[in-house]
Amino acid sequence: MIFQTLMMAMRELRRNKMRSFLTMLGIIIGVSAVIALVNIGKAASESVRDQIGKLGQNLLIVSPGAGRRSSSYTPASPFTMADVEAIRSEVRRAKYVAPTAQTSQDLVVGNKNSRSTIIGGTNDYLLTRDYTLASGRKMTDGEVKAGRAVCVIGETVRQNLFGSGDPLGAQMRVGKVSCQVIGLLTAKGQSGMGQDQDDIVIMPLRTVQRRLIGTTDINTIFITAESSASTAVAEQQITDLLRQRRHIAKGADDDFSVRDMQEIAQAVSASTSTMTTLLGAIAAVSLLVGGIGIMNIMLVNVTERTREIGIRLAIGALASDVMLQFLVEAVVLSTLGGLIGMAVGVGTSFAVTHSMGMPFIVEPGTLFLAFGFSAAVGVLFGYLPAHKAARLNPIEALRHE
C-alpha cells in the first residue's frame, strides 16, 4: 500500500516537473545554505586555531607593559636575564624558556636589500615557536654565549636576497653587522594576525643586544608549557613570580602581561562558533519559507484534483488513503529537496574553503539535522492540504468543474 502510494506520488510530481522543481527550490536553498554556512564556519574556526597554533604549541608570551587587569598602558622596565633564570628554575610547568630582543634592520646581500625583523635569542626560541630547519644548522651554545655574528634566516628573506640560490655559508649584512648564514627555516606562512612568519632573521641574543640595539634589555620571553592542560598553571606561577621580583604591591596592577595563545585561540574559536550558529539559524528560516511554498502548491493541487479525489472516494477509497497520498507527495518533495540541498551545500562549502585556503570540514550532524528538518517540514506543511483532501465530500467533489 505504501509502495503504491509512493509510486502514485512520484507520477503526479513527474506530471508537473517545473512546478515540482520550483516547489522544492525553497527547501534546496534552505538546506544548502544551512550546511554551507555551518561547514564554512567550522572551517574558518579550525583555520584560525591552526594559524594561532603556528605561533607555537602551549605558548605563553611574557612582555613588559600594562597587564590585562589594567585599563591603560603603563610603561614598564624590560626584563633581565635574572628574570629569565628565575622562571627557568622556579616555574616547574615551563618546558622551554626563550628570552628575546627584537629590532628591525636593513639586510644587504650584494646589490639586493630588504628590511626584516631581527630576533635575538637562543635555540629555545625555535622550540617555543615551532620553527624547524629546512637546511643548515642551529646556533651552537658557544656562538650564543660569545655573541658570534651568525644567523638563521626565514624563507622570505632567502627569496628576497638570494632568490633560488643556496644561502648557507653566505655573508649577509644586518644593519652594520656582517653575519654568516648558517641555517634556513622551514616556511610557516602567515600567522593568524597576518604577519609573515618567514620574514625573520634569528641571531644570538648577545649579538643583537650589544651590536644592534646597544642595551641588555629583554623585550619578550616566550615560554612553552609542558602540556595544554598546564598552561593556566604556568601562567599563574609566572605572574606570581614576576610580581614578586618586580616588587608590585598587593592589589596593584601588573606592569607586565602574560598572554596564553591557547586562551586566545579558544576565544576566537568561540566567537566564530557563535557567529556560525547565528548564520545557520538565519539560513534555517528559508526552510520554513520552503515549507510554506510546499503547502501552497499542495493546496492548489487539492483544488485542481478535486474531481479525481471524488472519483477515488466514490469507488471505495478511504479518506485515510487520500490523506496518505497527498502527505506522501509533500514528503517526497521535501525529501528530494533535502537531498539535492545536501549535495549543493557540501559542494558550495568545498568550493569556498578550497578557494580561501581553509580546511574542508563536513559536519555529519549538520547534514542529518538539515535533512531531517526538511523531511519534517514536508510532514508539517503537507498535513493541512492532505487533511483538506481527505475531508472532501465525494458527491460535491464529483460535481466540481
Side-chain angles (χ1 to χ4, degrees):
M1 179 64 182
I2 296 294
F3 180 76
Q4 292 178 344
T5 304
L6 180 61
M7 290 299 100
M8 289 177 63
M10 295 297 293
R11 183 185 64 200
E12 291 297 330
L13 295 179
R14 285 196 300 268
R15 183 181 299 176
N16 298 288
K17 296 179 181 178
M18 182 58 68
R19 178 191 293 180
S20 299
F21 175 73
L22 293 176
T23 304
M24 290 188 297
L25 193 58
I27 298 296
I28 293 172
I29 293 174
V31 171
S32 61
V34 170
I35 292 174
L37 286 174
V38 171
N39 286 344
I40 292 171
K42 294 289 186 182
S45 180
E46 186 65 26
S47 178
V48 169
R49 282 197 295 266
D50 288 344
Q51 292 194 7
I52 292 179
K54 287 181 180 179
L55 296 175
Q57 298 295 325
N58 311 324
L59 180 63
L60 298 171
I61 302 177
V62 187
S63 55
R68 61 186 176 187
R69 291 179 291 178
S70 177
S71 59
S72 61
Y73 174 75
T74 303
S77 58
F79 300 120
T80 65
M81 280 304 299
D83 295 325
V84 175
E85 294 302 328
I87 293 174
R88 281 177 176 158
S89 60
E90 298 185 36
V91 178
R92 296 181 179 178
R93 298 300 179 94
K95 187 176 182 180
Y96 304 116
V97 180
T100 63
Q102 180 174 321
T103 183
S104 181
Q105 297 286 337
D106 291 324
L107 309 179
V108 179
V109 174
N111 61 352
K112 295 182 179 180
N113 64 84
S114 66
R115 191 169 184 85
S116 297
T117 300
I118 313 300
I119 299 292
T122 64
N123 287 323
D124 280 349
Y125 178 77
L126 301 178
L127 298 174
T128 58
R129 294 295 309 277
D130 280 347
Y131 278 112
T132 57
L133 289 177
S135 60
R137 63 176 178 84
K138 299 179 181 179
M139 302 175 291
T140 65
D141 291 339
E143 290 169 339
V144 172
K145 291 179 181 179
R148 299 285 174 80
V150 294
C151 57
V152 178
I153 65 173
E155 178 62 21
T156 300
V157 176
R158 183 192 70 81
Q159 293 177 4
N160 291 339
L161 299 179
F162 299 94
S164 58
D166 185 4
L168 297 183
Q171 292 293 319
M172 179 177 69
R173 198 176 78 212
V174 180
K176 297 181 180 180
V177 178
S178 177
C179 71
Q180 183 183 26
V181 179
I182 61 171
L184 174 65
L185 298 172
T186 303
K188 292 183 67 173
Q190 288 191 339
S191 68
M193 290 73 169
Q195 297 174 330
D196 186 357
Q197 298 182 95
D198 302 320
D199 191 8
I200 186 175
V201 175
I202 302 173
M203 301 176 67
L205 176 61
R206 289 189 177 183
T207 306
V208 173
Q209 288 176 328
R210 295 174 178 176
R211 305 178 67 176
L212 294 179
I213 300 178
T215 69
T216 58
D217 295 345
I218 293 175
N219 306 124
T220 308
I221 305 174
F222 294 88
I223 301 170
T224 298
E226 289 181 344
S227 65
S228 58
S230 63
T231 53
V233 176
E235 179 181 358
Q236 188 59 53
Q237 292 176 348
I238 293 166
T239 300
D240 293 341
L241 176 62
L242 290 179
R243 284 181 64 86
Q244 178 185 351
R245 292 187 58 82
R246 294 166 80 86
H247 308 292
I248 299 175
K250 186 177 181 180
D253 291 335
D254 296 339
D255 65 350
F256 61 91
S257 64
V258 183
R259 288 178 291 168
D260 184 352
M261 301 310 296
Q262 183 174 297
E263 288 183 358
I264 295 175
Q266 290 173 350
V268 173
S269 179
S271 299
T272 306
S273 298
T274 300
M275 185 61 66
T276 300
T277 302
L278 179 61
L279 292 175
I282 294 173
V285 174
S286 60
L287 281 173
L288 297 178
V289 176
I292 294 173
I294 289 177
M295 181 174 64
N296 289 337
I297 295 300
M298 295 306 298
L299 286 172
V300 171
N301 277 344
V302 171
T303 303
E304 290 181 347
R305 296 159 59 187
T306 300
R307 189 174 181 82
E308 173 195 331
I309 296 170
I311 294 174
R312 291 192 64 191
L313 292 173
I315 62 176
L318 300 176
S320 59
D321 297 331
V322 176
M323 183 174 181
L324 180 62
Q325 178 185 351
F326 280 87
L327 192 59
V328 168
E329 288 182 19
V331 172
V332 168
L333 280 172
S334 61
T335 301
L336 287 177
L339 290 172
I340 297 173
M342 287 172 62
V344 173
V346 172
T348 301
S349 59
F350 173 78
V352 172
T353 54
H354 181 71
S355 65
M356 298 181 67
M358 297 187 297
F360 175 56
I361 298 176
V362 176
E363 287 286 328
T366 304
L367 296 181
F368 291 126
L369 181 62
F371 177 74
F373 192 65
S374 67
V377 162
V379 175
L380 179 64
F381 289 96
Y383 176 78
L384 180 60
H387 184 67
K388 180 181 177 180
R391 293 186 61 186
L392 287 176
N393 187 306
I395 298 176
E396 294 297 328
L398 289 171
R399 294 166 60 182
H400 180 80
E401 293 295 336

